[in-house]
């Protein structure tokens, strides 16, 4: 039977201290190898907290599965912000470009329910509603209406 350890680690900067070391120590695996693999797989998420699952089988081989940070964390990272707006419908804290929205949608693609890039970008825009973030200088609902009308089809036809 396999042991599973689930932890949240800073992207690209995991270390053998807590929470990893104490969780992995009793399993008898090389903690340094696990930390190195986690850091290699999470280097793209530098500065964000990333969910990681370490699966250790009976012969002490391990597999590292990396989840993706929440969409809101990716949006904040793109805009270099600490947090969203406290009053999202009246106070806007940042403006996301269509290119940044596409980048976030592609990073979250595996975890989203959307089949197309166009719908994935609309999911990102939906997250922006509650964060107080505009897209292309417009409120998220106006942006979604423009996406539905086909204004950005040249960029979203992937």
């Amino acid at each position: 039977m396999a042991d599973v350890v689930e932890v949240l680690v800073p992207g690209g900067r995991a270390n053998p201290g807590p929470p990893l070391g104490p969780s992995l120590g009793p399993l008898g695996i090389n903690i340094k190898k696990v930390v190195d693999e986690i850091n290699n797989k999470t280097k793209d998420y530098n500065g964000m907290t990333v969910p990681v699952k370490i699966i250790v089988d009976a012969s002490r081989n391990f597999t590292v599965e990396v989840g993706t940070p929440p969409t809101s964390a990716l949006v904040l990272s793109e805009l270099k912000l600490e947090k969203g707006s406290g009053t999202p419908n009246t106070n806007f804290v940042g403006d996301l470009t269509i290119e940044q929205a596409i980048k976030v949608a592609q990073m979250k693609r595996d975890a989203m329910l959307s089949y197309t890039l166009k719908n994935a970008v609309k999911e990102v825009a939906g997250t922006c509603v509650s964060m107080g973030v505009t897209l292309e200088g417009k409120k998220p609902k106006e942006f979604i209406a423009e996406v539905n009308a086909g204004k950005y089809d040249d960029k979203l036809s992937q």
Side-chain angles (χ1 to χ4, degrees):
M1 185 168 144
D3 288 305
V4 178
V5 176
E6 294 184 45
V7 291
L8 291 171
V9 298
R13 295 189 316 230
N15 61 53
L20 278 176
S23 303
L24 297 175
L27 302 178
I29 58 175
N30 185 332
I31 296 172
K32 182 177 179 348
K33 282 186 181 177
V34 175
V35 169
D36 289 345
E37 185 167 338
I38 290 171
N39 286 336
N40 186 38
K41 288 187 173 187
T42 62
K43 65 180 178 273
D44 293 338
Y45 300 117
N46 192 11
M48 290 184 256
T49 302
V50 184
V52 175
K53 186 185 292 187
I54 302 117
I55 303 161
V56 182
D57 63 20
S59 58
R60 295 199 172 134
N61 294 320
F62 66 89
T63 311
V64 174
E65 294 178 4
V66 177
T68 53
T71 304
S72 57
L74 296 173
V75 169
L76 291 175
S77 173
E78 279 298 308
L79 295 174
K80 312 234 181 312
L81 295 172
E82 291 291 316
K83 61 181 189 160
S85 171
T87 52
N89 290 327
T90 55
N91 183 22
F92 295 96
V93 294
D95 186 49
L96 204 64
T97 65
I98 183 72
E99 289 79 14
Q100 289 172 313
I102 290 170
K103 181 179 175 186
V104 170
Q106 288 171 334
M107 290 172 85
K108 287 292 291 182
R109 196 68 184 266
D110 295 338
M112 287 183 158
L113 301 173
S114 300
Y115 292 116
T116 64
L117 180 60
K118 186 174 185 175
N119 286 336
V121 167
K122 290 194 294 187
E123 279 191 49
V124 172
T127 301
C128 291
V129 171
S130 61
M131 295 177 63
V133 172
T134 57
L135 292 105
E136 293 288 324
K138 298 168 193 72
K139 289 185 177 182
K141 291 179 182 179
E142 293 171 20
F143 174 81
I144 291 170
E146 287 184 350
V147 169
N148 287 336
K151 180 173 180 181
Y152 302 102
D153 281 356
D154 56 326
K155 296 178 181 174
L156 298 173
S157 60
Q158 300 172 0

